[in-house]
Amino acid sequence: MPVIHLVFVTIMTQITAQINYIGVNDHDLDLFESQYRIPEGISYNSYLILDQKVAIMDTVDAGKKDEWLQHLESGLQGRQPDYLVVHHVEPDHAGAIALLLEHYPQIQVVASAKALQMLPQFFEGLDLAGRSLAVKEGDTLSLGGHTLQFFAAPMVHWPEVMVSYEQQEKILFSADAFGKFGALDIEDDDWACEGRRYYFNICGKYGAQVQMLLKKLGGLDIQAICPLHGPVLNEDLPYYLGLYQTWSSYGVETEGVFIAYASIHGGTAAVAEKLAEMLRARGVPKVSLSDLSRDDQAEAVEDAFRMDRMVLAASSYDAGVFPPMQEFLHHLQAKNYQRRKVGIVENGSWAPSAGRVMKEALQAMKEIEIIEPTVTIRSRMKKSDLPALEALADALSK
Ligand code: FEO
């Protein structure tokens, strides 16, 4: 693991002589996208390029618009902005556009045609006539010394997304790509932990589109990446690019077994713990567990993609599978979980049904190999269950 240099920013911060960070931290939001836990907050990044022309690179969430406007006004040093470059219209980045245009009506909004078409959906009465510039792949925008080159990045994470490459200082403005959960005033020496949870839950479904973007960027000399969330990345770039290659190709990052369990009264949880013990005893390099009823399911999704093997252990419920496991299977399918080996443990007190439902869901995913034997527990694990569990541990640790 390389030493990771992070840039901590709380207010306007200089990235280069003419490029400033003017984003904001959000510690007030309870759930990102109303679904993801963010115990360490999140940042909405925005940048300001002061050249012969002045360009603002994205705005922020409406909840933080006043604070952002202060950062912008301080960064402008009395100058007037010429362009607002919109890489992505999702409200966490485009939420302050109407306010910005009220303050600076002369600004030209630079975005993809799709973004310009979508923007008025978010702001009733927004009229961009005469003050928008549609750009497409390969177009450039000169600011004086700095030149922005645009690349389409559809579905990374929405269809209108583009990224831009500033040719003079070799900086990539990467939109959601290379973002992470966590505000920038929180100390964090492991970018990958929240970077991975962010990637798989936000962009995981769109691996093919991320691969296309990485291919397009492959020929560029990139000295820094300025994402829309998380720190500016200006060291060890091959490390981050390598992780994105692995993640977007659904490759294995860590050899090991991830055990996800959904247990009603603790019986299935005890089996999951016992299996973890057996796997560790067999020398499996990493074994981790998640209680799908209580732990963060977004983190469970991340661990499922991170490792090469997984075990699903669940109680039967209403002739199906216990709902926390049903929900997890839904997330895995939605995020394109694939190319992994999976073992199954089911529990049932009278008519076990969890194994069938889990198998059916896995069979609908791409290149999933079910590792036998499927282990069936009746209510509580007994001595007579151990041989089957040992056999599953053997098969998983081969
Ligand atoms: Fe950070 Fe897709 O918005």
Side-chain angles (χ1 to χ4, degrees):
M1 173 75 65
V3 174
I4 297 168
H5 172 72
L6 299 177
V7 177
F8 296 108
V9 274
T10 51
I11 194 167
M12 198 200 82
T13 303
Q14 203 167 45
I15 291 170
T16 69
Q18 289 176 287
I19 302 181
N20 291 320
Y21 178 88
I22 55 166
V24 293
N25 291 315
D26 192 345
H27 288 287
D28 302 323
L29 188 70
D30 56 348
L31 294 169
F32 183 71
E33 281 190 0
S34 294
Q35 58 174 331
Y36 298 115
R37 300 179 194 177
I38 43 170
E40 298 192 324
I42 188 132
S43 69
Y44 311 120
N45 297 347
S46 169
Y47 305 90
L48 183 63
I49 305 178
L50 295 168
D51 202 323
Q52 289 167 27
K53 298 283 187 185
V54 173
I56 301 165
M57 311 298 270
D58 297 290
T59 75
V60 299
D61 188 272
K64 294 287 171 186
K65 62 182 188 307
D66 296 331
E67 186 183 335
W68 172 75
L69 196 61
Q70 282 177 16
H71 293 189
L72 170 64
E73 285 172 348
S74 142
L76 283 169
Q77 299 164 38
R79 296 186 62 184
Q80 292 290 306
D82 298 284
Y83 300 111
L84 167 67
V85 178
V86 177
H87 293 99
H88 183 16
V89 303
E90 194 164 8
D92 51 333
H93 309 295
I97 288 182
L99 178 78
L100 179 72
L101 293 177
E102 270 171 36
H103 277 70
Y104 301 103
Q106 82 290 352
I107 281 185
Q108 268 215 307
V109 177
V110 180
S112 66
K114 184 86 182 161
L116 292 173
Q117 177 204 329
M118 290 170 76
L119 266 178
Q121 294 173 192
F122 294 94
F123 301 100
E124 186 165 11
L126 181 74
D127 182 8
L128 294 174
R131 52 176 175 171
S132 66
L133 176 64
V135 290
K136 59 183 186 316
E137 175 108 7
D139 284 355
T140 56
L141 178 70
S142 173
L143 305 176
H146 293 81
T147 300
L148 296 170
Q149 180 181 356
F150 301 103
F151 294 86
M155 301 319 296
V156 187
H157 143 231
W158 278 15
E160 88 299 354
V161 172
M162 64 176 191
V163 303
S164 60
Y165 175 68
E166 197 293 299
Q167 295 173 343
Q168 178 178 268
E169 303 204 72
K170 306 184 191 313
I171 294 177
L172 177 70
F173 293 92
S174 62
D176 275 341
F178 300 97
K180 72 183 277 293
F181 295 124
L184 297 177
D185 51 0
I186 295 289
E187 193 162 345
D188 178 6
D189 59 0
D190 183 4
W191 180 91
C193 180
E194 285 291 68
R196 187 189 304 106
R197 186 168 71 100
Y198 175 88
Y199 173 81
F200 282 111
N201 287 282
I202 304 296
C203 298
K205 177 179 174 65
Y206 304 113
Q209 289 85 347
V210 175
Q211 283 272 297
M212 273 177 58
L213 177 62
L214 291 175
K215 207 169 165 186
K216 285 184 200 180
L217 303 177
L220 299 175
D221 175 9
I222 298 172
Q223 295 297 316
I225 297 176
C226 292
L228 286 177
H229 303 284
V232 171
L233 306 174
N234 54 10
E235 283 186 359
D236 299 317
L237 292 191
Y239 168 72
Y240 302 103
L241 290 162
L243 281 178
Y244 258 61
Q245 277 291 356
T246 302
W247 296 344
S248 58
S249 61
Y250 303 97
V252 172
E253 185 186 347
T254 303
E255 298 281 335
V257 180
F258 172 56
I259 304 174
Y261 64 87
S263 182
I264 306 171
H265 299 294
T268 306
V271 183
E273 295 283 357
K274 184 70 186 172
L275 181 61
E277 186 188 309
M278 290 173 174
L279 291 167
R280 289 185 187 115
R282 283 163 172 75
V284 173
K286 184 170 177 67
V287 180
S288 67
L289 291 105
S290 176
D291 174 354
L292 295 175
S293 298
R294 293 170 183 83
D295 295 338
D296 179 10
Q297 287 228 1
E299 199 158 329
V301 167
E302 167 199 345
D303 281 337
F305 280 97
R306 178 181 187 172
M307 290 192 245
D308 57 324
R309 288 154 283 174
M310 178 170 71
V311 173
L312 299 179
S315 314
S316 302
Y317 195 88
D318 286 343
V321 68
F322 188 40
M325 178 60 76
Q326 188 78 60
E327 183 190 342
F328 183 55
L329 288 164
H330 167 77
H331 290 311
L332 289 179
Q333 191 166 19
K335 302 304 178 192
N336 251 332
Y337 183 73
Q338 56 185 270
R339 297 174 56 198
R340 295 292 189 274
K341 294 178 175 176
V342 184
I344 290 177
V345 176
E346 65 172 353
N347 195 347
S349 291
W350 60 95
S353 51
R356 172 183 52 78
V357 175
M358 291 190 284
K359 261 187 197 166
E360 283 170 3
L362 290 165
Q363 280 159 357
M365 300 176 201
K366 212 162 112 185
E367 294 181 55
I368 297 295
E369 182 187 342
I370 306 279
I371 301 293
E372 298 294 349
T374 293
V375 176
T376 299
I377 303 293
R378 293 286 185 160
S379 307
R380 298 282 171 191
M381 178 175 57
K382 299 165 195 72
K383 277 188 191 141
S384 57
D385 294 317
L386 296 181
L389 212 54
E390 298 276 9
L392 179 59
D394 282 340
L396 283 163
S397 52
K398 262 182 201 160

